[in-house]
Amino acid sequence: MGSHSRPHNDTAGGAIDRKRERERRYMMQMLYKNADELATKMVQRLLDKKILEITDETAIRKIFNELFEKLSNMEEFDMLYKIAPLRQLVVDPNFLSLYVTQYICEDLVENDKVQDVYGDDLEIYQVVESVLKVLRPKD
């Protein structure tokens, strides 16, 4: 009896993985296509919500634009490695928002155009996700 259920589970798991992979590819394509607009929105939202204090908005917008373009071609392993510390932050996280949150906390904070980054990981994630949630496929 048990031997019959196993292949079905493998198939279901495979279908879920394929669906997730399709969603991931779709989100990354949309991120790339809309990188400029999303970078502009991202910087504006991070400033409005007092997460970032910066000296050069244009430079930071360019950094996000380049990040979004780079992200669209990133290997899954590199992305998972970067977001590992934040994986438990929220239920059903947007992997792109996790990555950008970690990027802000780890990398952007070192930029000479950034005076300060405020908020904890969750607050930053929520602001980032408020911009990037448009990339998630509608079920």
Side-chain angles (χ1 to χ4, degrees), residues 16-53:
I16 290 168
D17 288 346
R18 282 191 298 279
K19 181 178 189 282
R20 190 174 290 132
E21 182 54 34
R22 267 198 315 273
E23 282 181 3
R24 185 177 173 277
R25 273 201 309 272
Y26 170 82
M27 289 171 71
M28 292 173 95
Q29 286 168 351
M30 295 307 289
L31 181 65
Y32 185 83
K33 271 190 209 157
N34 301 292
D36 197 44
E37 177 192 342
L38 289 169
T40 300
K41 279 186 179 152
M42 183 65 68
V43 172
Q44 196 54 58
R45 187 83 36 95
L46 289 165
L47 291 172
D48 290 349
K49 298 292 184 185
K50 311 261 188 285
I51 299 289
L52 285 186
E53 193 176 309

Side-chain angles (χ1 to χ4, degrees), residues 2 8 11 20 25 27 34 36 41-42 53 63 67 80 89 91 106 108 135:
H8 175 71
T11 308
R20 190 174 290 132
R25 273 201 309 272
M27 289 171 71
N34 301 292
D36 197 44
K41 279 186 179 152
M42 183 65 68
E53 193 176 309
I63 287 169
L67 174 68
L80 292 173
L89 193 60
V91 178
E106 256 181 22
L108 191 65
L135 299 173

Side-chain angles (χ1 to χ4, degrees), residues 28-44 46 52 56-74 96 99-100 103-104 108 111 131-132 135:
M28 292 173 95
Q29 286 168 351
M30 295 307 289
L31 181 65
Y32 185 83
K33 271 190 209 157
N34 301 292
D36 197 44
E37 177 192 342
L38 289 169
T40 300
K41 279 186 179 152
M42 183 65 68
V43 172
Q44 196 54 58
L46 289 165
L52 285 186
D56 185 343
E57 192 175 326
T58 306
I60 301 301
R61 220 179 15 248
K62 185 174 189 287
I63 287 169
F64 273 106
N65 193 7
E66 289 168 1
L67 174 68
F68 293 164
E69 289 180 359
K70 188 182 89 182
L71 261 174
S72 66
N73 294 312
M74 188 171 288
L96 292 171
Y99 188 96
V100 174
Y103 176 83
I104 290 168
L108 191 65
N111 188 289
V131 175
L132 296 185
L135 299 173

Side-chain angles (χ1 to χ4, degrees), residues 7 10 13 37 42 59 76 112 117 123 127 137:
D10 290 346
E37 177 192 342
M42 183 65 68
E76 188 171 16
D112 61 355
V117 175
E123 291 168 302
V127 173

